[in-house]
């Protein structure tokens, strides 16, 4: 359809069956519309950092192939840019690619908070800080949607671990829920109006997110969300509960059972015509927005989109350490060590895994720049394993060179949707390589690749450490330019790098192995915890060095209509042009409700020539001083003294000023002492019970009788389940014959998959009900259900939950 259609008229003209058909996908990646009225189908695609458009077999774990596309840096990398304009440009380029490939909605961005470095999907998320994540997500959404392509803000809400992610219940106190886990969604919704929002797999305080009426109403009633709610792929749990709760679209499809159940509920009066029509209207509005954008020209060519990918990689790299080794001397003999120099880790695994249209590497880029270099692999790129001969070769090359550049990081199998990391360690072979090369040549630089913090037992040995995160398909050129000084590092850490896993606030209970995850740390995640506990960190939130030096001057804090206006000058005191990411924190100075010592409330990035100074102004609205009052169920500003801090990192405050803020009297909140005086070591279950203040949700025990939420792993106790497990392992060996690491990841994800997600392959949920009866030895009832079923054409989708994103998306 080349022009928008009249949505209210279309809704009024549709039959009940046509309306119900709108409520589930037409296929794995398609929304059907209403052919009789000329509402054409539209296509959605995974795409937080590039499109994963699947024209053939569909899946959500990145196992099946996809169309070639530009692979941009992942969110964990892009967030380190602290540059909303750059992220917006990336969104525009991604939107152009979606237009070329006929994609109406890109399934991203993800704004889930990083509770622990171990979350296997952290590479897809921006930050441990809700303000930074929300602002960057808003910029991404604005960029993509400026091209007439929709986005799907995800995963709403509290999808913070991959272990048991489809069935785990996230139990979160009200303060943490609103201040941390909902806040980035609020910012992105209010600023950028995403076309859709994706409900998470997990439960939240006892209710599945796809049928949590309070959660879904919050975004509509308080934030003004007017788009469509879409379930993560396979996340819908109860056919008769999700639509009344506010869910608009169930994915993937077809779901004949869902359509029939909703129609029956409408006829029985359990779902009102108004509820049905509201959901249908929001879905048709998606089709109308896509139709209105048809004919929008593509603004950036493929080469220009690749240039954007390089620019984001360059602007996001973080110089963690530098004792004068970088930039490299133009005439230096360089020993390039580490297989990642030639076979880079540039993205994570799972539903967001892109088939890159092209891929560069740092070795080729350095060679093209004319660097006199030798190469030694040092380890196996897939496993990270090394041996004496590889280490000896690396040491010989390093000792014969003026400088050694060692590329290390996490192997591909370490970071994936569907599985959390077991520890924060680099492969032992990578650590051994760094130590051996540093011993052979003290003038050593380490380049780190990976999606999340790792322990660095050799920290202090190299003269420089450059963190590239997962830098996309043009990360090799970006790394070379940064090493050679053609570009100046300007990234700052969007998450704290702890010294060791034991130092993290939830080290003792992340990930939860059972079906309930208690967020005992409350608001104390990331730098909020490390600051409150006075803990040492390897690198603080917001840290990042440059090849030049910046100074801060002349802070002015003036009252504005809605709070304050904060202005200050930043000057480049060095001899190189550079970009500085400045950060604005607010710190309460008087006791009241428990809260972190300081919180990020603003940021900006300035490009400055040598000797140039620029005055910067950041708004500090009244809400920046507020915390959520669980008793009042509202945001409240406690009156009193606060400090406004302008900083180069969370632990490098350059300017500060005290301000008095009017508000409610400070009061004792009744929270346990552990939350007022935080100590290293985390928080006890008993303290959390007191803080939670309600009866904790019931913990589900996965024993017979089985339900549709029993996992494949739960079934291993039965003969049928063992047979299913055997067949799945055999199929994975056929799918991935030479990749034991990916097989193990996929098997873990499958073992934690509930039976209800069989609907992802087009299976009628009534068939799942029959299977559950048979597993519970209710054979007569189960076989009666089987005989009553009508044949349903199979979908091309694979019943492996990833995201509609491939997952979710």
């Amino acid at each position: 359809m080349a022009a928008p259609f009249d949505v209210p008229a279309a809704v009024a003209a549709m039959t009940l069956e046509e309306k119900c058909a709108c409520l589930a996908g037409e296929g794995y990646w398609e929304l059907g519309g209403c052919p009789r009225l000329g509402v054409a189908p539209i296509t959605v695609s995974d795409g937080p950092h590039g499109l994963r458009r699947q024209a053939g077999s569909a899946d959500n774990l990145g196992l099946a192939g996809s169309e070639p596309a530009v692979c941009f840096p992942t969110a964990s990398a892009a967030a380190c840019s602290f540059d909303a304009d750059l992220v917006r440009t990336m969104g525009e380029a991604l939107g152009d690619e979606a237009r070329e490939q006929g994609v109406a909605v890109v399934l991203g961005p993800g704004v889930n908070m990083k509770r622990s470095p171990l979350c296997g999907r952290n590479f897809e998320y921006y930050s441990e800080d809700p303000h930074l994540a929300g602002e960057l997500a808003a910029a991404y959404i604005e960029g993509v949607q400026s091209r007439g392509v929709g986005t799907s803000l995800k995963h709403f809400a509290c999808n913070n671990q991959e272990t048991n992610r489809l069935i785990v219940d996230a139990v979160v106190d009200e303060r943490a829920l609103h201040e941390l886990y909902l806040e980035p969604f609020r910012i992105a919704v209010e600023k950028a109006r995403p076309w859709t929002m994706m409900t998470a797999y997990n439960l939240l305080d006892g209710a599945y997110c796809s049928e949590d009426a309070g959660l879904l109403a919050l975004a509509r009633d308080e934030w003004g969300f007017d788009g469509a709610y879409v379930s993560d792929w396979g996340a819908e749990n109860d056919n008769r509960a999700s639509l009344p709760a506010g869910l608009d679209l169930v994915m993937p499809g077809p779901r004949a059972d869902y359509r029939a159940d909703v129609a029956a509920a409408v006829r029985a009066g359990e779902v009102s015509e108004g509820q049905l029509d509201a959901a249908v209207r929001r879905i048709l509005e998606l089709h109308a927005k896509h139709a209105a954008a048809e004919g929008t020209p593509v603004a950036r060519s493929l080469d220009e989109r690749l240039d954007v990918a390089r620019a984001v990689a360059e602007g996001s790299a973080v110089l963690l350490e530098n004792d004068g080794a970088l930039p490299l001397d133009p005439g230096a003999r360089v020993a390039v060590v580490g297989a990642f120099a030639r076979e880079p880790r540039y993205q994570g695994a799972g539903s967001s895994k892109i088939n890159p249209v092209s891929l560069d590497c740092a070795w080729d880029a350095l060679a093209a720049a004319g660097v006199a270099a030798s190469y030694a692999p040092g380890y196996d790129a897939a496993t990270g394993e090394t041996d004496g001969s590889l280490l000896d070769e690396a040491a010989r090359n390093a000792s014969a060179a003026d400088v050694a550049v060692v590329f290390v990081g996490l192997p591909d199998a370490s970071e994936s949707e569907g599985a959390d990391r077991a520890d924060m360690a680099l492969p032992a072979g990578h650590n051994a390589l760094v130590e051996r090369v540093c011993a052979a040549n003290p003038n050593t630089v380490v380049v780190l690749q990976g999606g999340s913090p790792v322990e660095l037992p050799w920290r202090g040995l190299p003269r420089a450490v450059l963190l590239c995160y997962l830098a996309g398909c043009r990360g090799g050129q970006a790394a070379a330019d940064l090493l050679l000084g053609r570009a100046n590092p300007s990234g700052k850490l969007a998450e704290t790098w702890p010294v060791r896993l034991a130092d993290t606030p939830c080290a003792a209970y992340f990930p939860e192995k059972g079906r309930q995850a208690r967020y005992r740390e409350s608001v104390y995640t990331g730098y909020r915890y490390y600051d409150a506990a006075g803990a040492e960190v390897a690198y603080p939130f917001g840290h990042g060095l440059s090849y030049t030096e910046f100074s801060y001057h002349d802070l002015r804090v003036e009252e504005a209509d809605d709070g304050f206006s904060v202005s200050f000058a930043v000057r480049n005191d060095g001899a190189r042009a550079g970009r500085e990411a400045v950060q604005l924190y607010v710190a309460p100075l008087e006791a009241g409700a428990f809260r972190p010592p300081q919180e990020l409330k603003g940021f900006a990035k300035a490009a400055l020539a040598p000797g140039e100074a620029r005055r910067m102004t950041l708004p500090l609205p009244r809400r920046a001083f507020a915390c959520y009052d669980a008793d009042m169920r509202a945001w409240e500003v406690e009156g009193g003294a606060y400090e406004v801090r302008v900083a180069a990192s969370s632990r490098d405050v350059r300017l500060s000023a005290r301000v008095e803020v009017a508000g409610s009297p400070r009061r004792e909140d009744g929270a346990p002492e552990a939350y007022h005086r935080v100590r290293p070591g985390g928080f006890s279950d008993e303290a959390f019970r007191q803080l939670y203040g309600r009866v904790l949700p019931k913990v589900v025990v996965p024993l017979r009788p089985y339900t549709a939420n029993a996992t494949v792993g739960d079934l291993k106790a039965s003969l049928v389940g063992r047979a299913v497990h055997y067949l799945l392992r055999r199929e994975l060996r056929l799918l991935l014959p030479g990749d034991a690491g990916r097989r193990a990841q996929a098997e873990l994800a499958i073992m934690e998959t509930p039976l209800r997600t069989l609907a992802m392959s087009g299976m009628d949920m009534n068939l799942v009900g029959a299977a559950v009866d048979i597993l519970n030895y209710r054979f007569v009832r189960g076989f009666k259900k089987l005989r009553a079923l009508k044949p349903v054409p199979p979908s091309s989708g694979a019943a492996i939950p990833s995201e509609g994103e491939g997952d979710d998306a």
Side-chain angles (χ1 to χ4, degrees), residues 483-682:
L483 291 169
L484 296 171
R486 295 176 172 180
N488 194 343
S490 63
K492 303 246 179 142
L493 290 177
E495 59 188 325
T496 306
W497 276 50
V499 175
R500 60 191 68 83
L501 177 61
D503 297 336
T504 62
C506 49
Y509 48 84
F510 187 99
E512 296 279 11
K513 304 299 184 184
R515 298 197 174 204
Q516 189 175 92
R518 297 177 183 176
Y519 289 40
R520 298 169 181 84
E521 69 280 3
S522 184
V523 300
Y524 296 109
T525 61
Y527 70 88
R528 290 165 166 77
Y529 168 74
Y530 300 111
D531 288 351
E536 176 193 0
V537 299
Y539 303 106
F541 176 86
H543 168 75
L545 305 177
S546 171
Y547 296 152
T548 188
E549 297 290 337
F550 298 96
S551 58
Y552 294 54
H553 310 275
D554 192 21
L555 173 64
R556 302 174 192 171
V557 181
E558 300 172 327
E559 291 188 8
D561 292 340
D562 181 30
F564 298 91
S565 174
V566 180
S567 66
F568 51 91
V570 180
R571 184 174 62 229
N572 182 350
D573 294 329
R576 290 177 177 265
R579 294 169 62 83
E580 174 72 339
V582 299
Q583 299 147 53
L584 180 62
Y585 296 85
V586 166
L589 298 180
E590 298 174 0
F594 76 88
R595 59 197 306 177
Q598 62 178 358
E599 295 179 281
L600 182 76
K601 296 299 179 181
F603 62 92
K605 202 163 189 177
L608 299 172
E612 181 183 5
R614 180 174 303 171
R615 188 153 199 89
M616 306 180 71
T617 301
L618 294 175
L620 195 59
R622 179 173 176 79
R623 187 186 175 95
F625 300 90
C627 60
Y628 189 80
D629 189 315
D631 294 330
M632 301 290 294
R633 302 184 69 82
W635 288 84
E636 292 287 332
V637 174
E638 291 186 320
Y642 293 82
E643 190 169 77
V644 175
R645 299 171 177 173
V646 177
S649 84
S650 61
R651 294 196 171 180
D652 184 7
V653 176
R654 302 294 183 88
L655 304 169
S656 64
R658 180 186 173 113
V659 296
E660 293 290 332
V661 179
S664 60
R666 306 232 173 199
R667 63 181 180 84
E668 172 57 46
D669 57 13
E673 181 73 5
Y675 295 96
H676 280 277
R677 290 177 175 80
V678 177
R679 299 288 185 268

Side-chain angles (χ1 to χ4, degrees), residues 407-450:
F407 288 77
V408 295
L410 288 171
D412 193 57
S414 296
E415 296 179 287
S416 174
E417 174 183 352
D420 292 313
R421 291 161 59 193
D423 53 47
M424 267 181 60
L426 286 170
H430 289 224
N431 286 330
L433 180 65
V434 173
E435 292 171 1
R436 185 70 179 276
V437 170
C438 287
N441 188 336
N443 193 28
T444 292
V445 174
V446 170
V447 178
L448 280 172
Q449 298 175 359

Side-chain angles (χ1 to χ4, degrees), residues 19 94 124 180 252 325 409 435 513 702 789:
K19 290 176 181 179
L94 209 162
E124 278 194 60
L180 293 185
E435 292 171 1
K513 304 299 184 184
L789 290 173

Side-chain angles (χ1 to χ4, degrees), residues 118-454:
L118 298 186
C119 177
R121 210 164 180 186
N122 272 355
F123 65 89
E124 278 194 60
Y125 303 141
Y126 288 111
S127 179
E128 67 189 27
D129 183 81
H131 182 82
L132 180 62
E135 292 289 338
L136 294 180
Y140 174 105
I141 292 166
E142 289 168 349
V144 173
Q145 294 188 174
S146 73
R147 310 305 304 138
V149 175
T151 57
S152 194
L153 184 65
K154 64 187 188 183
H155 309 88
F156 194 52
C158 295
N159 182 178
N160 303 108
Q161 69 175 54
E162 291 299 284
T163 301
N164 284 328
R165 63 179 177 151
L166 285 86
I167 53 174
V168 73
D169 186 1
V171 180
V172 192
D173 72 275
E174 288 291 313
R175 284 278 309 276
L177 178 63
H178 287 269
E179 294 181 21
L180 293 185
Y181 299 103
L182 298 182
E183 183 67 358
F185 289 96
R186 180 195 68 81
I187 294 170
V189 166
E190 291 185 350
K191 293 195 71 169
R193 299 294 187 219
W195 288 11
T196 73
M197 187 140 61
M198 184 181 295
T199 59
Y201 284 123
N202 53 278
L203 299 88
L204 176 58
D205 292 320
Y208 276 97
C209 291
S210 60
E211 56 198 54
D212 187 334
L215 176 69
L216 303 187
L218 173 70
R220 292 208 186 281
D221 299 342
E222 295 190 21
W223 307 341
F225 175 59
D226 57 3
Y229 279 119
V230 55
S231 73
D232 200 338
W233 268 228
E236 190 269 336
N237 174 66
D238 187 327
N239 287 0
R240 293 190 177 234
S242 56
L243 178 63
L247 184 68
D248 299 309
L249 178 64
V250 172
M251 289 298 286
R255 284 288 302 275
D257 61 291
Y258 183 78
R259 300 171 184 184
D261 283 353
V262 172
V266 172
R267 292 190 182 101
E270 298 169 5
V271 173
S272 71
E273 289 277 358
Q275 289 174 316
L276 176 67
D277 286 354
V280 172
R281 173 182 56 78
R282 288 188 282 263
I283 295 166
L284 292 191
E285 284 172 350
L286 271 182
H287 290 261
K289 289 173 182 176
H290 174 68
E294 283 190 350
T296 301
V298 172
R300 287 182 174 86
S301 67
L302 173 59
D303 286 343
E304 289 170 327
R305 296 195 294 271
L306 288 168
D307 286 343
V308 171
R310 181 201 52 75
V312 177
E314 179 186 294
S316 304
V318 182
L319 186 60
L320 296 177
E321 308 262 10
N322 191 25
D323 186 21
L326 290 178
L328 299 176
D329 188 316
R333 294 170 300 151
V334 180
V336 176
V337 179
F340 283 177
R342 282 186 166 173
E343 303 172 67
R345 267 299 309 291
Y346 62 97
Q347 65 174 333
S351 62
S352 66
K353 190 171 182 116
I354 309 306
N355 175 19
V357 67
S358 64
L359 177 63
D360 68 8
C361 69
W363 169 255
D364 288 344
L366 290 169
V371 175
S374 62
Y375 170 75
Y379 53 82
D380 180 274
T383 66
E385 295 176 358
T386 190
D387 58 32
S389 62
L390 288 171
L391 293 175
D392 288 344
E393 179 190 15
R396 284 195 303 271
N397 281 21
S399 62
D402 297 318
V403 59
V405 180
V406 186
F407 288 77
V408 295
L410 288 171
D412 193 57
S414 296
E415 296 179 287
S416 174
E417 174 183 352
D420 292 313
R421 291 161 59 193
D423 53 47
M424 267 181 60
L426 286 170
H430 289 224
N431 286 330
L433 180 65
V434 173
E435 292 171 1
R436 185 70 179 276
V437 170
C438 287
N441 188 336
N443 193 28
T444 292
V445 174
V446 170
V447 178
L448 280 172
Q449 298 175 359
S452 193
V454 293

Side-chain angles (χ1 to χ4, degrees), residues 6-33:
D6 188 331
V7 171
V11 174
M14 294 170 71
T15 66
L16 175 61
E17 288 69 24
E18 287 172 331
K19 290 176 181 179
C20 292
C22 270
L23 303 180
E26 186 65 24
Y28 209 83
W29 303 114
E30 290 77 36
L31 281 57

